[in-house]
């Protein structure tokens, strides 16, 4: 049996004809940049995230950077970032001239906590970026009181959490990923739960002025509703194109169904791995994860990966080097963030996609247990 780490082709096969028909219409009206396709997707995605506004941009990294810039965060400022995230979170901060300050995470959930955030805050801290890692949301209660205490902006990195929900202690209701901070940022990289056929990203927010400023910055600093060549800000070119918006809008209609399938596969994995005593990185109680990745903690990871590869099982590691140990950011090699460092040595992403069969899950779990025992 051969089981790939991911399978993007199968779910796309069912929508190709729909998308091709819409692309033909797009070719006919030639509205390739902006226009009705992008506007329709932005409206639908804002509604899906339970926010008022969505601004399509070129990718998820730009979504974070443009939001920070729109908030006036830059040189001299510090932004709190978890150490175990994809490097894009940190690079977006650095691109504004601000300094990413890496904080440790909970050793079990691998998410930021109030205590870990407190350990990183200084008088220069301007914002905090909670990362909803693997689709598991950081609950509002773990971020908002801390941010309010220190007067910080909260920008949710929701690149892996399209459609996730977490309980809100204030309202008693569940809130959607991207909706509780001043803004939420998303990536539509093809491997994401809501993935384009290329790059893409978005910012969602309830702040109309912030949305307008981000939209302007992403479009060469143009002033909305004025002359095409009037530029209020020093902006850049970071626009979601109409082709990707067309694909994303079609896939958004199926996202909840696909997420439900992911949750079902995750529950099958959890039971199979528990039978072998293998710990799974799971969401916090009350969180409805988007389950972007299925991550186990295993000793001797590289040897285990080789044995799984021999059994035809694809795997990944997200992420093998914590950000504070990356050459680009490791200005102080004495800094220790033990939970992130320990996790980086043990985490192993297993094959995971909505249409993974139960017998394939059992095959992976059995071979993973055999590989661990063989060490």
């Amino acid at each position: 049996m051969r089981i790939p780490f991911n399978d993007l082709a199968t779910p796309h096969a069912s929508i190709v004809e729909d998308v091709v028909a819409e692309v033909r219409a797009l070719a006919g009206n030639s509205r390739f940049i902006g226009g009705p396709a992008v506007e329709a997707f932005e409206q639908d995605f804002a509604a899906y995230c339970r926010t008022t506004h969505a601004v399509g941009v070129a990718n998820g990294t730009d979504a974070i950077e443009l939001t920070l810039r729109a908030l006036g965060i830059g040189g001299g400022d510090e932004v709190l970032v978890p150490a175990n995230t994809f490097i894009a979170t940190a690079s977006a901060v650095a691109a504004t001239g601000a300094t990413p300050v890496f904080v440790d995470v909970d050793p079990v959930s691998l998410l930021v906590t109030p205590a870990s955030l407190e350990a990183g805050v200084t008088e220069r801290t301007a914002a905090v970026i909670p990362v909803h890692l693997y689709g598991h949301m950081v609950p509002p209660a773990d971020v908002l009181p801390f941010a309010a205490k220190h007067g910080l902006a909260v920008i949710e990195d929701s690149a892996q959490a399209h459609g996730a929900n977490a309980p809100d202690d204030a309202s008693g209701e569940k809130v959607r990923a991207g909706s509780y901070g001043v803004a939420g940022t998303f990536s539509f990289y093809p491997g994401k739960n809501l993935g384009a056929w290329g790059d893409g990203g978005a910012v969602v927010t309830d702040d109309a002025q912030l949305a307008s400023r981000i939209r302007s910055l992403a479009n060469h600093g143009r002033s909305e509703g004025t002359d095409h060549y009037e530029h209020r800000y020093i902006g850049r070119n970071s626009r979601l194109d109409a082709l990707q918006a067309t694909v994303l809008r079609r896939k958004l209609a199926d996202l909840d169904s696909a997420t439900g399938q992911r949750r079902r596969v995750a529950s099958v994995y959890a039971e199979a791995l528990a039978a072998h005593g293998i710990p799974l990185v799971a969401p916090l109680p009350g969180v409805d994860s988007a389950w972007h990745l299925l991550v186990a903690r295993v000793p001797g990871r590289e040897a285990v990966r080789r044995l799984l590869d021999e059994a035809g099982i694809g795997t990944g590691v997200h992420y093998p080097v914590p950000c504070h140990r990356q050459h680009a950011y490791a200005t102080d090699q004495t800094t220790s963030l033990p939970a992130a460092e320990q996790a980086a040595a043990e985490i192993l992403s297993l094959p995971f996609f909505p249409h993974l069969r139960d017998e394939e899950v059992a095959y992976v779990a059995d071979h993973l247990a055999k590989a661990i025992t063989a060490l």
Side-chain angles (χ1 to χ4, degrees):
M1 185 181 294
R2 297 200 65 82
I3 305 174
F5 173 64
N6 199 358
D7 174 14
L8 299 181
T10 298
H12 284 148
S14 64
I15 67 168
V16 167
E17 294 307 317
D18 290 347
V19 173
V20 168
E22 294 183 39
V23 169
R24 286 196 181 99
L26 181 62
N29 64 38
S30 300
R31 297 295 299 276
F32 301 122
I33 301 296
V38 175
E39 293 167 5
F41 171 70
E42 289 178 337
Q43 292 171 4
D44 287 357
F45 192 62
Y48 182 81
C49 294
R50 302 171 191 160
T51 59
T52 309
H53 306 278
V55 181
V57 296
N59 54 69
T61 311
D62 284 2
I64 299 173
E65 180 192 342
L66 291 167
T67 300
L68 289 167
R69 290 183 58 196
L71 290 168
I73 295 171
D77 294 323
E78 294 177 348
V79 179
L80 301 180
V81 175
N84 64 326
T85 182
F86 183 53
I87 201 69
T89 314
S91 60
V93 174
T96 69
T99 300
V101 174
F102 300 111
V103 299
D104 211 353
V105 292
D106 178 82
V108 177
S109 71
L110 306 188
L111 303 176
V112 295
T113 67
S116 68
L117 294 173
E118 285 285 356
V121 72
T122 72
E123 68 279 359
R124 296 172 61 188
T125 308
V128 54
I129 304 180
V131 176
H132 302 318
L133 194 69
Y134 310 146
H136 308 338
M137 273 185 74
V138 181
D142 286 357
V143 181
L144 294 183
F146 162 80
K149 173 184 174 182
H150 295 285
L152 309 179
V154 176
I155 302 161
E156 297 172 65
D157 183 342
S158 306
Q160 300 183 5
H162 312 72
N165 301 288
D168 180 7
D169 289 350
S171 68
E173 303 292 330
K174 287 196 173 180
V175 296
R176 189 77 91 177
S179 69
Y180 72 71
V182 65
T185 64
F186 290 86
S187 166
F188 301 131
Y189 182 78
K192 295 297 194 287
N193 291 22
L194 181 61
W197 288 1
D199 265 323
V203 181
V204 298
T205 181
D206 286 325
D207 186 327
Q209 289 187 332
L210 180 63
S212 177
R213 196 172 302 122
I214 293 168
R215 191 178 300 281
S216 175
L217 288 170
N219 190 22
H220 298 290
R222 286 192 175 100
S223 300
E224 291 188 84
T226 60
D227 184 85
H228 185 71
Y229 293 108
E230 181 179 330
H231 304 266
R232 180 168 296 181
Y233 308 108
I234 298 174
R236 55 189 293 185
N237 183 354
S238 180
R239 299 174 297 214
L240 178 67
D241 68 66
L243 173 60
Q244 303 307 335
T246 297
V247 173
L248 290 166
R249 190 172 184 231
R250 173 60 186 84
K251 294 183 70 176
L252 181 61
D254 297 334
L255 182 57
D256 280 345
S257 175
T259 302
Q261 291 176 278
R262 286 176 177 274
R263 289 169 179 160
R264 192 200 69 78
V265 174
S267 69
V268 176
Y269 253 123
E271 183 176 350
L273 293 175
H276 294 292
I278 301 171
L280 179 69
V281 180
L284 292 169
V287 171
D288 303 318
S289 177
W291 285 104
H292 173 57
L293 295 170
L294 194 294
V295 180
R297 301 283 291 264
V298 301
R301 180 183 63 216
E302 294 311 310
V304 167
R305 289 190 78 189
R306 286 193 294 272
L307 291 173
L308 292 179
D309 183 66
E310 291 172 5
I313 298 170
T315 59
V317 180
H318 302 84
Y319 299 95
V321 181
C323 290
H324 70 294
R325 294 297 191 210
Q326 293 283 357
H327 291 299
Y329 297 98
T331 55
D332 179 7
Q333 290 290 340
T334 65
T335 298
S336 178
L337 300 175
E341 291 162 17
Q342 181 68 27
E346 297 177 348
I347 48 179
L348 178 64
S349 300
L350 301 176
F352 189 66
F353 38 89
H355 49 284
L356 193 66
R357 301 191 307 272
D358 290 6
E359 57 267 31
E360 292 174 316
V361 172
Y363 182 83
V364 173
D366 289 345
H367 279 271
L368 177 58
K370 290 176 184 176
I372 293 172
T373 302
L375 295 182

